[in-house]
């Protein structure tokens, strides 16, 4: 099931006309109809407006069947398991994590150096 079908399902359950949703997202009704029929993609901002209109999250709108992705709890994972999970992130997210790790390691090295060389004076 695609997101357009999910939107149509919600709209029809509430007896709302296509024109009302098209007006909500600032789109011509014929273009909006293509979204419901899977012939056109929908923007994230339009998806957000529709989700808010129906008082649900974008996740709930995309996964209307209730099959929401589950959160991954990494607190009890080993370091190797955490690294494997990190590989599933996109490049920008991985880069951000590695920059944070580098920052913490640099801070620790500086602290160790300071304690060893300066604090003993």
């Amino acid at each position: 099931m695609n997101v357009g079908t999910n939107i149509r399902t919600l709209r029809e359950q509430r007896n709302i006309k296509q024109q009302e949703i098209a007006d909500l997202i600032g789109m011509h009704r014929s273009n909006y109809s293509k979204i419901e029929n899977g012939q056109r993609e929908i923007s994230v901002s339009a998806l957000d407006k529709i989700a808010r209109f129906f008082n649900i999250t974008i996740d709930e709108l995309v996964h209307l069947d209730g099959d929401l992705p589950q959160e991954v709890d990494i607190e009890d994972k080993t370091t190797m398991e955490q690294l494997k999970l990190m590989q599933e992130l996109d490049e920008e997210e991985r880069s951000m994590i590695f920059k944070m790790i580098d920052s913490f390691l640099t801070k620790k090295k500086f602290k160790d150096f300071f304690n060893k060389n300066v604090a003993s004076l």
Side-chain angles (χ1 to χ4, degrees):
M1 187 178 276
N2 70 41
V3 70
T5 305
N6 293 348
I7 296 168
R8 177 189 307 134
T9 299
L10 289 170
R11 182 182 60 74
E12 289 175 347
Q13 286 174 350
R14 291 165 175 81
N15 295 317
I16 299 169
K17 297 195 180 302
Q18 281 187 339
Q19 186 64 54
E20 187 173 347
I21 303 298
D23 290 343
L24 173 74
I25 61 175
M27 181 179 282
H28 192 275
R29 193 205 53 78
S30 63
N31 288 329
Y32 169 74
S33 177
K34 290 177 183 177
I35 290 172
E36 284 192 2
N37 292 324
Q39 299 169 346
R40 181 180 174 144
E41 295 296 320
I42 186 169
S43 71
V44 174
S45 63
L47 202 56
D48 183 53
K49 288 177 185 177
I50 293 171
R52 289 175 189 265
F53 178 81
F54 287 116
N55 199 30
I56 59 176
T57 66
I58 292 176
D59 263 350
E60 291 170 320
L61 182 56
V62 171
H63 302 282
L64 194 60
D65 57 4
D67 191 22
L68 290 172
Q70 298 299 311
E71 289 187 35
V72 177
D73 183 16
I74 62 171
E75 287 183 35
D76 60 349
K77 304 282 186 213
T78 67
T79 303
M80 290 307 294
E81 288 174 309
Q82 289 175 339
L83 288 172
K84 286 179 186 176
L85 289 170
M86 286 172 38
Q87 291 303 314
E88 296 176 17
L89 300 173
D90 67 35
E91 182 62 33
E92 184 179 336
E93 292 169 329
R94 280 195 312 270
S95 176
M96 191 180 316
I97 289 172
F98 288 122
K99 285 178 184 176
M100 288 173 38
I101 291 170
D102 286 343
S103 174
F104 289 127
L105 292 174
T106 301
K107 182 178 175 183
K108 182 186 180 334
K109 286 179 183 179
F110 179 76
K111 184 178 177 183
D112 290 347
F113 175 82
F114 179 81
N115 287 336
K116 181 179 177 182
N117 296 303
V118 179
S120 63
L121 295 177

